[in-house]
Amino acid sequence: MNKPLRRIALFCGILVLALLVRTNYIQYVRADELNANEHNRRVQIERYAHERGNIIVDGEPVTGSVETTDSDFQYKRVWKNGPMWAPVTGYSSQAFDSSQLESIEDGILTGNSDQLFFDRTLSMFTGEKKTGGNVVTTLDGAAQKAAFKGLGAKKGAVAALDPQTGAILALASTPSYDPSVFAGNSMKDSDARQKLLQDKDKPMLNRALRETYPPGSTFKVVTAAAALENGLYTDIDEETDSPLPWRLPLSTNLLQNEGNIPCENASLREALRWSCNTVFGKMSNDLGNAKMIEQADKFGFNQEVFTPVRADASVYPKDNQPQNAMAGIGQASNRATPLQMAMVASAIANDGKLMQPYMVAQRQAPNLDVIYTHEKEQLSRPLSAENAQKVQQMMETVVADGTGTNAQIDGVTVGGKTGTAQHGLNNSEKPYAWFISYAKTDSGSPVAVAVVVEDGNANRDDISGGGLAAPIAKSVMKAVLDGK
């Protein structure tokens, strides 16, 4: 071989070697990076080339997949009664990715999770078409329906828990949206999503998990728990040291009670029954900000909660004396999600034990084999069993013969607390109506509920926790009890 040919052969050999090095570098070194690249359409095409697994409620799917004819993505997501279930499932969109359970459990639902490696390997030999696994939730369909129907056209949210396990039974938020309207990747889908994002009523906001409100008088059960746990009072029927009127500390302002109610030196039971601001405001001041924060933290305040969907942190603030007194009655900078207040009610109903809230009971392989089962976990113990039972007695008096009579259920012991939370500068906006409650049977409490209603259409004087929120809580509790 002459010299020029040798040079050409050597150069071609170098090119082939470079090509092999480059190919192996791309396939093995940069494979994960390229697979994760948002511009790699092949990954997206593969993701939607098969049916997505389902999210299951009461043994039945609330989701599904349909074939598309106008896209190189073969399947897209659909929901059964999307607006009712969107606060639980979130959305899954070919154009806009996913949220909530659809996002967190994406690996299982697409079939790409490492937990499904054996199933994927087996399907290569059997020739079975790839499908996703299922996510089995803790949700109670009847309770969710009662919550969604109860809220109706009003803005608001409902969270319901099983106090003994922490299982989330209902999670409703209104106004809501149908995730199906932007599940594809057409201009129509894009326009539908943009319309939802621009809606002033924020239908895509999960108010049960991601909106914090002043909890109003529902927070007084936390203040009562703090008083009992710190020994400020031990007997719920003894008189408290609560003058009327009571002046806020470091201030000339007097804390007011609603209406002509017997609050002077009222016992804990009577103060909760009639929702006496003066009693609980002074109680919070007597305990001090540090002890109030400590008690609130034990109930889950000042920390994010993962269900596994993240819930915003509720806040009991570090503050001065007058603001701490107001925070003790659920006002000032005190803020809570509906899930948080359901956690408060559930801990009291569960004799002082707060269980970790969760909504995924199981994960299933495509062949329905169970590959994960949730084990209940205690999150904290906010109060002793003895003191929890004292607060139960107080809350049961509220429902039996106080501000919460609209939550009564025939033949069932119900405990609750109403709340009407001030809203806006100097209470200029219409208040929020709250109700927290639990129902109790011989085997304990199977359900605790928190309801908040933002009813902008109601007359201001008609807005109350007992009037607007308690009937919704009652319907949710009854739905759970009827299913037992």
Side-chain angles (χ1 to χ4, degrees):
M1 183 181 292
N2 60 33
K3 191 173 184 179
L5 287 177
R6 284 199 304 272
R7 288 177 175 173
I8 291 172
L10 179 61
F11 179 69
C12 289
I14 292 172
L15 290 178
V16 170
L17 180 62
L19 181 62
L20 290 172
V21 170
R22 176 66 176 171
T23 301
N24 281 276
Y25 172 71
I26 290 174
Q27 286 187 336
Y28 295 102
V29 177
R30 295 192 62 200
D32 291 341
E33 176 190 344
L34 293 172
N35 278 336
N37 192 300
E38 61 180 299
H39 300 296
N40 187 349
R41 191 166 178 80
R42 290 178 182 273
V43 175
Q44 291 294 88
I45 290 173
E46 192 281 330
R47 182 182 181 188
Y48 296 105
H50 56 271
E51 291 185 67
R52 190 172 175 84
N54 285 309
I55 296 174
I56 308 295
V57 175
D58 292 339
E60 298 293 332
V62 297
T63 56
S65 297
V66 296
E67 289 197 64
T68 57
T69 57
D70 57 351
S71 170
D72 51 359
F73 295 156
Q74 187 174 356
Y75 290 95
K76 73 174 182 178
R77 191 58 137 177
V78 291
W79 287 259
K80 299 174 183 177
N81 201 341
M84 186 172 84
W85 290 112
V88 175
T89 66
Y91 61 80
S92 177
S93 169
Q94 294 174 344
F96 304 108
D97 203 8
S98 55
S99 70
Q100 296 191 194
L101 283 185
E102 292 279 15
S103 174
I104 294 169
E105 301 293 341
D106 186 69
I108 295 294
L109 296 169
T110 59
N112 293 327
S113 169
D114 290 343
Q115 296 179 63
L116 299 175
F117 175 79
F118 177 77
D119 295 84
R120 290 199 303 274
T121 304
L122 188 63
S123 66
M124 293 172 60
F125 296 97
T126 62
E128 291 183 4
K129 186 178 179 180
K130 180 181 178 181
T131 58
N134 297 325
V135 175
V136 181
T137 73
T138 60
L139 277 291
D140 181 310
Q144 182 76 5
K145 184 177 180 179
F148 188 69
K149 182 179 178 181
L151 289 169
K154 297 181 285 292
K155 286 184 186 178
V158 176
L161 300 170
D162 180 336
Q164 299 175 65
T165 65
I168 296 176
L169 304 176
L171 201 68
S173 177
T174 56
S176 189
Y177 68 101
D178 185 354
S180 299
V181 301
F182 61 95
N185 64 353
S186 67
M187 282 302 300
K188 182 180 178 181
D189 292 277
S190 180
D191 291 344
R193 181 174 180 269
Q194 194 61 33
K195 184 178 179 181
L196 289 169
L197 291 174
Q198 293 174 348
D199 190 327
K200 62 181 178 59
D201 289 331
K202 300 180 181 179
M204 294 183 69
L205 173 63
N206 189 335
R207 289 172 166 83
L209 300 179
R210 300 284 173 80
E211 185 70 294
T212 58
Y213 303 85
S217 293
T218 60
F219 190 81
K220 289 171 182 173
V221 299
V222 178
T223 304
L228 292 168
E229 283 292 290
N230 286 280
L232 183 62
Y233 296 103
T234 57
D235 183 348
I236 64 173
D237 292 310
E238 70 175 294
E239 286 190 350
T240 59
D241 178 17
S242 307
L244 188 68
W246 183 69
R247 191 179 70 182
L248 286 167
L250 309 177
S251 171
T252 58
N253 293 327
L254 298 176
L255 186 59
Q256 303 294 328
N257 293 308
E258 294 293 330
N260 185 24
I261 51 179
C263 291
E264 184 173 4
N265 297 326
S267 67
L268 287 179
R269 186 196 299 269
E270 289 300 297
L272 198 73
R273 176 187 177 194
W274 299 115
S275 202
C276 295
N277 291 334
T278 49
V279 175
F280 288 99
K282 183 177 184 297
M283 199 179 299
S284 181
N285 183 64
D286 290 344
L287 289 164
N289 189 233
K291 288 182 178 178
M292 287 298 296
I293 290 174
E294 181 183 8
Q295 186 64 59
D297 286 355
K298 290 178 181 179
F299 278 107
F301 278 74
N302 299 315
Q303 57 190 297
E304 292 180 333
V305 179
F306 293 88
T307 67
V309 179
R310 180 184 63 82
D312 281 3
S314 299
V315 178
Y316 192 93
K318 291 182 179 179
D319 225 326
N320 59 33
Q321 278 187 277
Q323 291 299 296
N324 177 65
M326 294 302 295
I329 62 170
Q331 295 292 165
S333 298
N334 191 340
R335 309 283 296 183
T337 63
L339 176 66
Q340 174 62 75
M341 295 314 295
M343 290 166 63
V344 169
S346 71
I348 292 167
N350 195 35
D351 289 342
K353 290 188 293 185
L354 176 60
M355 307 303 290
Q356 171 68 46
Y358 72 101
M359 70 171 86
V360 174
Q362 292 181 337
R363 299 187 185 104
Q364 296 176 339
N367 64 1
L368 304 185
D369 283 349
V370 176
I371 57 176
Y372 165 84
T373 299
H374 179 86
E375 294 184 5
K376 65 180 182 180
E377 175 187 356
Q378 184 173 319
L379 187 62
S380 64
R381 177 175 271 284
L383 66 172
S384 68
E386 179 185 5
N387 286 333
Q389 288 160 13
K390 289 178 180 179
V391 180
Q392 288 173 25
Q393 293 176 48
M394 294 161 59
M395 293 177 70
E396 287 160 19
T397 299
V398 170
V399 174
D401 189 25
T403 59
T405 55
N406 281 340
Q408 293 175 0
I409 300 174
D410 290 343
V412 178
T413 299
V414 176
K417 182 68 191 81
T418 55
T420 306
Q422 294 181 2
H423 174 213
L425 184 64
N426 296 321
N427 196 23
S428 57
E429 304 291 333
K430 291 183 178 178
Y432 301 127
W434 275 94
F435 193 72
I436 64 171
S437 60
Y438 62 85
K440 195 161 63 175
T441 65
D442 293 340
S443 58
S445 175
V447 57
V449 184
V451 178
V452 65
V453 177
E454 311 173 39
D455 193 351
N457 295 319
N459 293 322
R460 188 183 187 90
D461 292 340
D462 294 334
I463 298 175
S464 70
L468 291 179
I472 300 172
K474 173 182 177 177
S475 65
V476 174
M477 291 187 291
K478 196 169 185 307
V480 174
L481 293 170
D482 288 347
K484 292 295 181 181

